[in-house]
Amino acid sequence: MEATALSVGKSVLDGALGYAKSALAEEVALQLGIQGDHAFIRDELQMMQAFLMAAHDDRDKHQVLMAWVKQVRDVAYDAEDCLQDFSIYLKDPSWWRLPYTLRERRRIAKQLKGLRVRVEDVSQRNLRYQLSKSPSFKAGTVAEMSSITAATVFGVGEARRAARQEEPKEDLVRLINKEGEDPRVIALWGTNGDLGLATIINAAYENSDIKKKFSLRAWIRILHPFNPNDFIQSLVKQFRSSEGVDILLEKDKTGHDLAMEFTGYVKEKRYLIVLNDLSTFEEWNVIKTCFPSSKKGSRIIDSHYNQRKPLLPMSSSNEATTSTNNPTTLTNEVQGNQYKGGTERKVVPKSLTRIKTMASALEESQLVGREREKSNMIKLLSYQPSQELRVISVWGMGGLGKTTLVKDVYQSQTLINMFEKRAFVTVLRPFILKELLKSLIMQLTAESSETKGTINLRNDLRPETRNKVATMGAHSLIEELDRLIKGKNCLIVLDDLSSTKEWDNVINSFPKLDGTCRILVTTREHSIAKHCSNKQENICELKVLEDKEALDLFTKKIFKDAIDWDNYPELIEEAQLILKKCNGLPLAIVTIGGFLANQPKIAVEWRKLIEHISAEMNPGLEAIRTILGKSYDGLPYHLKSCFMYMSIFPEDHKISRRRLIRRWIAEGYSRQIREKPAEEISDSYFMKLIDRSMILPSKKSVHSREGIDSCHVHDLMREVGISKSTEEHLVFRLEEGCSSNTQEIVRHLAISSNWKGDKMEYESAVDLSRIRSLTVFGECRSFYISEKMRLLRVLDLESTTGLVNHHLEHIGSLLHLKYISLRGCDGIYHLPDSWGNLLQLETLDIKGTRICMLPQTIIKLRKLQHLFGGDLEPFCVYPDERIPHDMIEICVACCAPTCLKDVEFLDGDPNRRDVCTFWWHVVFPTLASRRLDPRGIVLPKGVRKLKSLHTLGLVNIAGGKAILRDVRRLTQLRKLAVRGISKKNCQEFCSALADLSRLESLSVELTGSSSLNGLLDDVSTPPPNLQSLKLSGTLVKVPEWIVAMQNLVKLYLEETELSDVDGTMQVLGKLPNLAILRLLKNSFEGEECRLTFRQEAPFPCLMVLELYYVCGLESVEYEEGATPKLELLRFCGRGGESDSLFSGLASLPKFKEFKQDNYTYAFEANVQAQLAENTNGPMFKRYSE
C-alpha cells in the first residue's frame, strides 16, 4: 500500500499532464514562442509519472525517495498552475488591454522557462542519488526489456541511448516456447513511444513456429473503463480470423451465445494473447476468470508502455493463472457487465437502481447486536416521572456506535408517543453555545403543536422564523427555549459531548426541567458521563460487540446478505483472524468490511490485509486510527485525494453530494474519459467512498434519484484525513488556536466559524497566491477574498453570514475560478458586471440569494455548465405589488445604510454602494415594470451563447418570447426549471421544448389564474430521456405526450386542478418506469376525489407515493395486483377525511412504511389494522418522527 506522498504525486501529475497534453496548451505555447520548453516539460512530467507508477510499495518508507517524490509533487503543482495560467491569455485581447496582455505573456513565458530549469533539476537529482537502482526495484517482471532504464532516468535522450546499449534479459520467443503445459503469464514493460518493445512482441507474435504452435492468437488493447463484453467480443473476432473469411463475416453474438462461443475456443485449443495497458488488479481478476485452467500450454503476454511495473507475476503462480472452470461464471460475468459499457445503454434502469440503493446505502445506520442495549435504554427513559430531571449518559470509545444506537432509541415508537417535545442535537466542534441553542429551538419549534397540522414536507421552517432565530442573542435564545419547553415533558439528546464545561454551559442555559423530562447524552469519556448523570444506574457503558454479532455485521457489510460460511471454507480462518483483531469494534468492522467488499473473495487478498493490521487491537484511540488508516491506504490514489479533500469541512458537517462532486470536478480530481462525463466519474468516486465506509451517508431522500443527498465523515476517519492532508500540505484549516505567521504553501484554505483573527494574521497564515480553493464557514468578512488568490479555482461561501454585495467586487479578477457558490447567502441582490471575466467558470450557484436578474456580461461565460438560481425575493417586494414596502426606510438608507439592514434583515453591514445596488437592481425595476419574480431569475439577452449549459433554473420567462428563443438553442441542457408559462408564451415554450432532446429533468410552473387546458399538448417531440417532470399550475388535464414518457421516473403535480381523476390514474398507471409520484395540493379539482389503483393500470414500478393536501380526497383504494413495488406512502391531509380513507394496504407485497400527519385515533387505528395484516410488516410513522 503506497505512501500518501506517492498517491498525491500521481494525482497531481495526472492534472498537470492533462493540461500539458491539451490542444489549448499547444496553441498557447505556439503563440508565446515557447514550444520547446513546453514539449520538454510535458515529456519530463510524463517520465516522472512513469516512475511514480512503477514505484514499489516496499520503497514507500525510503526517505530519500519520498523526499524526491514530494519535490516531483511540488513541481507538478507549479507546472499545472503555470500551464493553466497561460491558457487564459490565448484569446485575442482588446486593443486597450494589449499592453497588459503582453506584459502577462512575458511573465508567463519567463515563469515557464524557470519551471523548465526546476524540472531538469528534479530529474538530475534522481540520477545523482541513483533512486532508480534501489534493490527493491529490481525484477519482478518476467522479461525486463531495455526500456526499464529509460523509465527511471527521466530524459528522452538518455532513455533512447539506454535502449540502444542494452539487450533484453530474456528472449521472448524462447519464453513463449518454454516447455510446460501449464498456462503462463509473461509480463513486459517499457517507455511510451519506444518502438523497441512493440517490435519485440510483434516479432514473436508473427514467428512462424509460434503461429503453428498457437492456433488461436489475439492482440488486445485494454480500454478504460474496462468493459468485459467488448473484451470478449474483440477476442472472438480475432479467433474467428484463423478459421477463414466466411466465419469472420458472421453476425456478432452477445450475452450467453457470445460466452459459449468464447468458451468453446479457449477450452479446446491453445491460445496466445497479448494484453496492452492492463492497469488494475480488478481488471485482471475479471479477465482471468474468462480462461479455464486447462493443460494446453497457453500463454498471455502483459505489455505496458511508460506506466508501471506489470501487475502480473512472472511465473504461472496460482494468483496469476487460477481461474474458474465453470462456463456459467463466464456467462454471468459478461452479461452482468453488459449494461455498464454496452452501446444499448438505458437511462431508466440506472435511475431505478439508484432509488433501490437508498436503503442499502444507509446500512451503517441499522443496529446489529444492540437489541439489549436499546431495550434497556428505552426502559430508563420510560420510567415513571420522578422529582428531578433524569439524565441518561451513554459512554464508550469512538467507533462503538453510540450515535447509531441513540438515534434508533430516539426514533422508537414508544418514546415518540411519550414526549410532547423532542430534539436531537449533535454538539459540534468548535463548541458554540448559541449555535447549539439555535438548533434546539429550530427543532422544538418544528415539533410544536401549532405547526404539526401544516407541516412542510421539506421539514424546514419559514424564512422569517429562521431569520428571527438566527439574529437572536444569547439571552433571547434562552428565553425562547424556556417558552418552548416550560411545563412540557420533553426528550433532548445531546450527542458527542467532549468536556464537562460544555455540559455545564448547556444545562445552565436550560430552564428548570421537571421529572417528566429526559436528557440523553453521548460521550467518549466516563468522567463526563458521571458528571452529567448523578446516579450510577443512569450511566450506560457501551461495549464492543459479541463474537456472533460482530460476525453478523462483518458478513452484512461484505456480502450484503446473510450467507452460509460453509460455502467459503477458505475464508473462515481469515475472517476469524480479522474479527479477532477488530475485537468487536463496529467502526473497524464496518470499515474493513467495506474495504474487503471491493476486493476479490479469495484468501490471499484477505491475508494481505491481516498482515497490515497490528497484532492486537488495544481499546485506545490510536489503535482505531491505525485500523482506519489501513483502509485509507487501500484506496486508489485518485480516491485518496478525494478523501483528503473532505478534511476541508468541519466535524459532523453534512456535505451535499451535489456540492462535493462539482467541487471535485473544478479541482481536476475527475475528468471526462472518452464519452463518460466528469460528473458521472465524480459521482462514482462518491459512491466508492460510501461503499468503503470512508464517508457515511447523512440523509436519504425519497425525492432524489440518487437516494443519498449528503454525507459526513466519521470523527476518527476525519482525523485520519486531516493528518494525511496536513502531511501533504494539501489543506489548511484556519481556526481558533491554529498556528499563524507561517506563510506555508497549501492548496486549500478552510476558514472556521470560530476564527476571529484580523487581516494581518490572515495574510501571514498561508501563501494566498498558491491557494486553489477557499471555503468559509460561519461569518464571511471582506478581507477573506483577496486579489492575491490568482490561482483560485473554487470559491465556496455557501450558507455564510455577513456577506453583502460589495464583498463580491474582487472576485471578477480571479480568472481561474471554475466553481462559485453563494447558495443561502440571502444578503446578495446582484452580481457585479466584472464576473463576465470569469471565462473558466463551470458552476455558478446563487440559489437562496435574492438575485432576481443576471448581468448582461454573464453571456461571456462560455464554459458555464450549471446555473442555479431563484427561491428568495427581497423582503420589501411583494408579489403583484408595484411599489416596494418600507419605502421611507429605503430612502433613508441612502444616507444611513444601516436602515437597509433593518428593512431586509441583513446579517452583514451594507455600505452606500450596496444601497445604490439595491435601488438600481431591486427598487427601480419594481417601480418600472414589475420585472422581479420571487421564484425565478431573469436572464439577459444572448444567453443562447452559453452552449455548454447542462443545468438551468429557476428561470423566469414571463418577460417575453425572446428568452425562450434563446433557451431552445441550449441543446446540451439536461435539467431545466422555468416559471412564468402563460397563454402568451406557451406555444413558444412547447416549440422550444421539442428542440431540447437531451433533457432529463424538467420543472414547469405556470402563471395566471385562467386555465391552460391543453396548451402543453403542442410539444411535437417531447424529450425522449426525460426522467423527472414537475408540473405546477392550472392544467386541467395532463399533457397528451406524457403517455410517451417511457423513461419517466419521477412525477410531481401541484395546483394542476386535473378534472378527470380516473383518466389521469389510467394514463399514469401505465407508465412503465414511474417510481416516485407526488400528488401535492390541489393537484385534482372537485369536491370528491377518489383515487383507485387498478390492476389494468397497476403502476408497475411505483415505489414512493406522496399525497399532500389533495383537494376533496374521499378514498384511496388499492386493488389486488396494483402497485406491486410500493414501499413508502406519505400522507398529509386537510383534516376531516374519513377514518376509512385508505383501503387495500394489506395487499401491497413490498410495502414498508406508512407516514402521516397527526390524525384521529380511529383513522390511525384503521391504518394500523391494515398494516398488521400485511405480511411484509410495514411500519406506521408520523411526520414529526
Side-chain angles (χ1 to χ4, degrees), residues 339-623:
Y339 171 74
K340 293 182 181 178
T343 56
E344 297 179 2
R345 185 173 179 182
K346 297 182 180 179
V347 179
V348 172
K350 173 185 172 184
S351 300
L352 290 172
T353 301
R354 296 175 86 175
I355 293 169
K356 292 174 185 175
T357 61
M358 288 190 294
S360 61
L362 285 156
E363 286 177 337
E364 273 72 315
S365 66
Q366 300 177 5
L367 286 180
V368 175
R370 297 295 190 194
E371 291 78 15
R372 179 174 53 83
E373 290 90 340
K374 177 182 176 181
S375 176
N376 291 342
M377 204 171 297
I378 291 176
K379 287 180 181 177
L380 280 173
L381 293 167
S382 304
Y383 281 159
Q384 293 299 318
S386 58
Q387 295 298 318
E388 59 183 6
L389 170 69
R390 179 174 295 146
V391 179
I392 292 91
S393 298
V394 182
W395 75 278
M397 63 189 296
L400 285 171
K402 299 183 294 295
T403 301
T404 302
L405 172 62
V406 169
K407 279 185 178 178
D408 205 72
V409 169
Y410 177 79
Q411 293 170 351
S412 68
Q413 193 69 44
T414 304
L415 298 182
I416 289 171
N417 295 332
M418 182 179 300
F419 295 99
E420 296 174 74
K421 300 273 190 162
R422 298 183 312 136
F424 191 113
V425 178
T426 300
V427 182
L428 303 178
R429 308 277 98 76
F431 174 76
I432 302 175
L433 179 61
K434 285 176 60 176
E435 297 303 318
L436 185 144
L437 294 177
K438 288 176 185 178
S439 180
L440 268 175
I441 290 170
M442 291 286 194
Q443 293 188 50
L444 293 170
T445 302
E447 285 268 331
S448 69
S449 58
E450 291 81 9
T451 61
K452 283 185 177 179
T454 58
I455 191 163
N456 189 322
L457 289 180
R458 295 182 181 179
N459 294 322
D460 56 8
L461 300 174
R462 294 174 61 84
E464 306 91 278
T465 306
R466 288 201 306 270
N467 289 328
K468 178 183 175 183
V469 174
T471 56
M472 282 184 177
H475 184 69
S476 300
L477 289 169
I478 293 172
E479 288 181 344
E480 179 66 9
L481 184 62
D482 182 30
R483 185 188 69 81
L484 285 169
I485 63 178
K486 189 173 183 179
K488 294 182 173 66
N489 60 329
C490 57
L491 170 63
I492 295 174
V493 177
L494 300 175
D495 183 42
D496 201 19
L497 276 175
S498 63
S499 71
T500 56
K501 184 179 179 180
E502 290 177 0
W503 167 256
D504 292 338
N505 286 334
V506 172
I507 197 65
N508 290 333
S509 302
F510 284 3
K512 183 173 177 58
L513 301 175
D514 59 28
T516 62
C517 298
R518 302 286 185 270
I519 295 180
L520 183 55
V521 171
T522 70
T523 181
R524 297 181 186 180
E525 298 183 29
H526 186 212
S527 60
I528 299 174
K530 288 175 65 178
H531 182 78
C532 298
S533 300
N534 296 327
K535 298 180 179 179
Q536 184 62 36
E537 62 263 30
N538 291 335
I539 300 176
C540 305
E541 179 187 1
L542 201 60
K543 298 181 180 179
V544 297
L545 294 174
E546 298 293 335
D547 291 346
K548 181 182 180 302
E549 285 75 20
L551 179 61
D552 290 343
L553 181 59
F554 186 68
T555 303
K556 185 176 183 181
K557 185 60 186 175
I558 294 178
F559 297 97
K560 310 303 180 186
D561 299 306
I563 65 158
D564 185 357
W565 279 94
D566 292 338
N567 296 329
Y568 296 87
E570 72 280 8
L571 296 178
I572 293 177
E573 182 178 353
E574 278 68 29
Q576 290 173 342
L577 287 173
I578 290 172
L579 289 175
K580 179 181 178 182
K581 295 178 186 299
C582 289
N583 196 22
L585 186 69
L587 181 60
I589 294 170
V590 166
T591 305
I592 293 174
F595 172 75
L596 292 177
N598 293 278
Q599 303 300 314
K601 307 298 188 293
I602 54 177
V604 65
E605 291 293 332
W606 289 29
R607 203 170 296 123
K608 286 180 184 178
L609 178 66
I610 294 171
E611 292 170 0
H612 288 280
I613 301 178
S614 56
E616 182 179 0
M617 179 174 288
N618 299 313
L621 192 61
E622 289 301 321

Side-chain angles (χ1 to χ4, degrees), residues 1092-1160:
T1092 304
F1093 295 84
R1094 305 182 189 279
Q1095 192 171 7
E1096 60 268 22
F1099 290 86
C1101 286
L1102 190 65
M1103 300 172 66
V1104 178
L1105 173 65
E1106 187 168 334
L1107 305 174
Y1108 179 72
Y1109 287 168
V1110 178
C1111 182
L1113 191 60
E1114 290 290 323
S1115 66
V1116 182
E1117 179 183 355
Y1118 295 89
E1119 293 184 355
E1120 192 75 30
T1123 61
K1125 295 184 179 180
L1126 187 66
E1127 295 183 6
L1128 172 63
L1129 195 159
R1130 304 181 71 178
F1131 172 67
C1132 183
R1134 297 174 177 271
E1137 286 85 358
S1138 169
D1139 292 338
S1140 56
L1141 179 67
F1142 290 90
S1143 61
L1145 298 177
S1147 66
L1148 303 175
K1150 301 288 186 180
F1151 201 43
K1152 293 181 179 179
E1153 183 180 313
F1154 183 99
K1155 196 164 189 177
Q1156 57 113 47
D1157 201 356
N1158 285 334
Y1159 268 82
T1160 63

Side-chain angles (χ1 to χ4, degrees), residues 902-1056:
D902 298 333
V903 171
E904 289 294 312
F905 301 99
L906 301 179
D907 47 30
D909 295 316
N911 59 19
R912 283 188 172 83
R913 181 184 299 176
D914 295 321
V915 176
C916 291
T917 299
F918 185 81
W919 270 88
W920 188 252
H921 296 286
V922 176
V923 179
F924 287 148
T926 304
L927 294 173
S929 60
R930 185 52 208 157
R931 292 170 60 194
L932 297 183
D933 191 293
R935 290 290 314 282
I937 53 175
V938 176
L939 298 177
K941 292 180 180 179
V943 76
R944 68 177 64 187
K945 296 179 181 179
L946 304 181
K947 298 291 187 182
S948 299
L949 269 181
H950 287 184
T951 306
L952 178 60
L954 179 67
V955 177
N956 177 17
I957 60 174
K961 297 180 180 180
I963 185 61
L964 283 171
R965 287 194 287 270
D966 276 350
V967 170
R968 73 182 301 172
R969 301 285 292 274
L970 303 176
T971 54
Q972 297 297 315
L973 277 179
R974 268 67 167 179
K975 297 181 180 181
L976 175 64
V978 298
R979 69 173 276 110
I981 303 294
S982 63
K983 288 184 177 181
K984 293 181 180 179
N985 59 16
C986 191
Q987 189 67 37
E988 191 72 32
F989 173 72
C990 292
S991 177
L993 198 59
D995 289 346
L996 303 178
S997 59
R998 296 174 182 261
L999 272 186
E1000 297 176 6
S1001 175
L1002 175 64
S1003 175
V1004 179
E1005 297 185 27
L1006 298 89
T1007 57
S1009 57
S1010 59
S1011 167
L1012 298 177
N1013 185 4
L1015 289 185
L1016 288 184
D1017 292 342
D1018 294 334
V1019 180
S1020 58
T1021 309
N1025 294 323
L1026 198 64
Q1027 298 175 50
S1028 175
L1029 177 62
K1030 178 180 179 180
L1031 299 175
S1032 177
T1034 311
L1035 282 174
V1036 181
K1037 69 172 186 176
V1038 293
E1040 293 178 356
W1041 45 264
I1042 204 169
V1043 298
M1045 294 289 94
Q1046 301 298 298
N1047 293 330
L1048 195 64
V1049 176
K1050 298 196 310 180
L1051 177 62
Y1052 298 2
L1053 299 175
E1054 183 176 13
E1055 302 284 359
T1056 50

